[in-house]
Amino acid sequence: MHRRKFVIGVGSLAAGSAAAIGTGAFDSVEAERTVTAELADDADAYLALESSSSHSEVDPNGRLKIFDINGITNDGGGHGVGGNSEYHFDGVFEVTNQGTDTVHFYVGGLGTFVNGNDELANVYVYEDGARDTPLDGDAGALQIDSGTTESIGVYVETGDVDVEPDGSTTNSYNGTATVYAEIDDPTN
């Protein structure tokens, strides 16, 4: 009989202690968990990037090489952009929103490329049909609904470049761009 009173007493004490302590809220917690994320090629990612012209290609790692001015020879024999010129390349690549939410797409990290004191080029991407609106997050971002594909072009304005007698140039530039897809419009 004493055992039963003891168990009831302990149960009452535990219930009373929980009520006295409060709601169970805490100030801090640290918990270690495992996370698994599967990486996909650009074409299979939630924001798919796919080549749609001879001005872009997918590298052996499945990543879109958005633009390669050097080394592109077109069917007419051209081999790159000239100095002091502006170029619009429509339909260079396509962006498909394979996620579930509408996103705002833009590309950062492009802009003005310089070599010493010489401005070599100004580069930005744009939505086909809207050549004057850079998709850079400041001037513009393209809203892409879930399941929608948009065609993207590349604008290149070159500065004064020195061309050698063999047609090569001593001025070149390489850039790495960062592709963004955000729920909130960065231009607001």
Side-chain angles (χ1 to χ4, degrees), residues 44-73:
D44 298 323
Y46 292 128
L47 186 73
L49 305 173
E50 297 182 274
S51 175
S52 59
S53 78
S54 62
H55 299 293
S56 62
E57 64 185 17
V58 176
D59 73 12
N61 295 320
R63 293 177 298 213
L64 178 68
K65 193 175 194 179
I66 293 176
F67 203 70
D68 184 2
I69 295 174
N70 298 324
I72 294 176
T73 302

Side-chain angles (χ1 to χ4, degrees), residues 14-184:
S17 297
I21 291 174
T23 63
F26 55 87
D27 290 331
S28 164
V29 67
E30 183 176 321
E32 194 171 302
R33 301 290 185 268
T34 59
V35 175
T36 303
E38 189 170 323
L39 300 179
D41 290 345
D42 280 352
D44 298 323
Y46 292 128
L47 186 73
L49 305 173
E50 297 182 274
S51 175
S52 59
S53 78
S54 62
H55 299 293
S56 62
E57 64 185 17
V58 176
D59 73 12
N61 295 320
R63 293 177 298 213
L64 178 68
K65 193 175 194 179
I66 293 176
F67 203 70
D68 184 2
I69 295 174
N70 298 324
I72 294 176
T73 302
N74 64 21
D75 294 337
H79 189 73
V81 296
N84 295 316
S85 304
E86 289 185 66
Y87 294 87
H88 289 94
F89 297 93
D90 292 337
V92 172
F93 65 99
E94 291 181 338
V95 178
T96 302
N97 181 354
Q98 298 182 144
T100 57
D101 296 317
T102 296
V103 296
H104 295 86
F105 165 84
Y106 63 99
V107 176
L110 294 175
T112 302
F113 294 87
V114 295
N115 182 7
N117 293 326
D118 298 326
E119 183 176 313
L120 298 180
N122 179 32
V123 180
Y124 64 79
V125 299
Y126 58 88
E127 175 188 11
D128 280 359
R131 289 178 165 181
D132 295 329
T133 304
L135 297 176
D136 61 7
D138 292 325
L142 176 61
Q143 181 176 311
I144 306 176
D145 295 329
S146 178
T148 303
T149 299
E150 299 289 344
S151 183
I152 305 298
V154 176
Y155 169 81
V156 178
E157 177 186 13
T158 61
D160 193 17
V161 295
D162 296 327
V163 178
E164 302 297 320
D166 66 357
S168 65
T169 179
T170 57
N171 293 320
S172 63
Y173 59 91
N174 291 310
T176 301
T178 303
V179 174
Y180 296 92
E182 298 179 354
I183 300 295
D184 297 324

